[in-house]
């Protein structure tokens, strides 16, 4: 009986410790969950140095190199759930773009699309990847597109997911709000983070409350730097349809039909100027398809590359 009592007390203490970590140390809980997801996706953490920056990245899988670029205010974790379907076919590399995630934030540097294109090229060169497949979402989509335009012989295929800077697209809800001086992408508090999630997703991915609170705190922490990056992007804008006009690179344009940040009409704008582009519009999906519907997003690219089983 005494042994059973000791076992019971031990279990209660362990459970209490786990609950305490979950609620009071959500960063540790998130890190543990990320380790599980990385193992499932076949990815591991790594780092490298390019001029002026340390770059954190994820890498794993076998096959030709596929570089995945995240959007504004995001980081490499946005790609992890989609990557599990890609690593069996590709050597997947997912960097935190300089200025985001665990990579260096240099307040004296510029973070326009063209600036980031050159940094991505430095990452690719440092890793010795050679010719790559490159994908990007939102801001990352604009970077991926301009990368393919600037280095066409080094890009085997291009995958654009709701890319930014398609200026001929219809005005989006974000455009209207920015015109009124309201930028929902810059988070001031937990309520602002809640509104941001509702803004970018149709069906929000399940996030436990303590972890969501932790993510909100991180978004608030980096608000001022994100504002600086946003200003750099606006100061050196690109017109993506002009950059990509006539580019023969095989390209998949994937878009959520309920994207409130960049209107879905941008998909047809890009297809009209690219001779080897295909369009897939995902129903009931918002601005970040690879987070909201990771398996469907990944399989769309695999089918495009004729690699789907």
């Amino acid at each position: 009986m005494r042994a059973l009592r000791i076992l019971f007390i031990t279990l209660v203490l362990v459970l209490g410790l786990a609950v305490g970590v979950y609620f009071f140390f959500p960063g540790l809980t998130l890190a543990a969950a990320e380790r599980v997801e990385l193992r499932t996706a076949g990815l591991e953490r790594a780092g490298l140095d390019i001029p002026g920056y340390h770059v954190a990245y994820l890498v794993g899988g076998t096959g030709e190199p596929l570089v995945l670029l995240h959007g504004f205010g995001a980081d490499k974790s946005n790609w992890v759930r989609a990557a599990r379907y890609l690593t069996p076919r590709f050597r997947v590399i997912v960097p935190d773009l300089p200025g985001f995630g665990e990579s260096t934030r240099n307040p004296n540097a510029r973070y326009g699309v063209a600036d980031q294109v050159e940094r991505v090229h430095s990452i690719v060169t440092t890793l010795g990847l050679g010719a790559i497949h490159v994908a990007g979402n939102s801001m990352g989509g604009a970077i991926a597109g301009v990368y393919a335009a600037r280095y066409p012989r080094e890009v085997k295929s291009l995958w654009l997911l709701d890319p930014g800077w398609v200026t001929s697209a219809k005005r989006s809800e974000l455009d209207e709000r920015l015109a009124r001086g309201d930028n929902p992408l810059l988070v001031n508090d937990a309520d602002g983070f809640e509104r941001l999630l509702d803004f970018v997703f149709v069906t929000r991915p399940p996030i436990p409350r303590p972890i969501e609170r932790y993510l909100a705190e991180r978004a608030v922490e980096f608000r001022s730097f994100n504002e600086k990056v946003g200003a750099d992007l606006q100061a050196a804008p690109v017109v993506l349809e002009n950059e990509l006009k006539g580019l023969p690179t095989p390209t998949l344009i994937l878009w959520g039909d309920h994207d409130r940040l960049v209107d879905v009409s941008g998909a047809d704008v890009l297809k009209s100027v690219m001779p080897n582009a295909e369009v897939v519009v995902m129903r009931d999906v918002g601005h970040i398809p690879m987070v909201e519907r990771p398996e469907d997003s990944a399989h769309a690219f695999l089918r495009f590359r004729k690699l789907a089983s």
Side-chain angles (χ1 to χ4, degrees), residues 166 169-185 195-202 255-265 286-287:
V166 184
K170 296 177 182 177
R171 283 174 67 86
S172 67
E173 182 178 340
L174 177 62
D175 293 327
E176 301 290 347
R177 292 177 66 166
L178 290 175
R180 300 194 302 267
D182 172 23
N183 188 346
L185 306 183
R195 290 191 295 271
L196 175 60
L197 293 178
D198 287 336
F199 193 54
V200 299
F201 296 117
V202 174
W255 222 293
D257 66 345
H258 281 56
D259 190 342
R260 299 163 67 186
L261 283 77
V262 189
D263 191 85
V264 67
S265 60
H287 184 63

Side-chain angles (χ1 to χ4, degrees), residues 274-292:
M274 303 183 73
N276 294 312
E278 296 181 14
V279 170
V280 173
V281 176
M282 300 181 70
R283 295 185 61 183
D284 300 320
V285 173
H287 184 63
I288 318 177
M290 74 284 188
V291 173
E292 191 164 359

Side-chain angles (χ1 to χ4, degrees), residues 125-177:
T125 302
T126 300
L127 290 174
L129 298 180
I132 63 171
H133 305 268
V134 61
N137 168 242
S138 192
M139 176 193 72
I143 294 169
V146 175
Y147 187 100
R150 301 285 166 84
Y151 300 100
R153 295 182 180 179
E154 301 177 28
V155 176
K156 294 184 176 182
S157 74
L158 179 60
W159 181 18
L160 303 176
L161 300 90
D162 301 62
W165 286 271
V166 184
T167 61
S168 301
K170 296 177 182 177
R171 283 174 67 86
S172 67
E173 182 178 340
L174 177 62
D175 293 327
E176 301 290 347
R177 292 177 66 166

